[in-house]
Amino acid sequence: MRAIPGVGLRRPILRPVLVAAAVLVVPLAGVPVAYAAQVVESVRPGDEARTEPYIVTLAPDADPERVMDETGVTKARYVYRSAVRGFAAELGAAQLAALRAHPAVVGVERDGRAVGAPVEGDGATGDR
């Protein structure tokens, strides 16, 4: 191997690093679309009209109204813009699949009641 002035040992290391990066990144490019296709295929006939409450979390720079328009969500119960970006809405199967495939969507979770563990004593001081 011929030495290149000013490069030193960095050149033999550069190629494997670039190949490893390409191997890790390229398969991830189609993940949202493939995932949405799986979700749509799992929807049973008659489920299109049924809706359930979900909370959708978006990327920090995403516009909730724009994502709603692009995914067919017409009405949100809440829109979040401060501590987190996102919205809560009743979603049907097609809307759910579209949201899961949208690049600005970070997470989609069913909304529900949270129940904590009971606290003994007064809880604030740990007294029993």
Side-chain angles (χ1 to χ4, degrees):
M1 184 155 101
R2 196 174 113 217
I4 300 173
V7 174
L9 295 176
R10 285 183 272 166
R11 185 176 175 160
I13 296 172
L14 182 60
R15 181 173 285 149
V17 169
L18 291 176
V19 170
V23 168
L24 293 172
V25 172
V26 171
L28 296 177
V31 168
V33 174
Y35 184 70
Q38 291 173 358
V39 171
V40 171
E41 289 173 6
S42 69
V43 175
R44 288 173 268 162
D47 284 351
E48 298 88 14
R50 193 175 83 214
T51 62
E52 295 184 36
Y54 283 88
I55 297 175
V56 180
T57 308
L58 304 175
D61 59 339
D63 177 27
E65 283 83 9
R66 182 175 176 189
V67 172
M68 289 170 53
D69 287 342
E70 293 174 351
T71 56
V73 178
T74 56
K75 185 178 177 185
R77 291 184 302 157
Y78 303 101
V79 176
Y80 309 108
R81 291 185 189 87
S82 298
V84 67
R85 292 281 184 159
F87 57 91
E90 294 281 331
L91 303 175
Q95 295 166 326
L96 189 58
L99 283 164
R100 287 186 168 144
H102 198 283
V105 174
V106 175
V108 180
E109 302 176 54
R110 284 220 34 212
D111 195 0
R113 174 174 260 173
V115 179
V119 178
E120 294 181 25
D122 86 5
T125 62
D127 295 337
R128 293 181 185 217

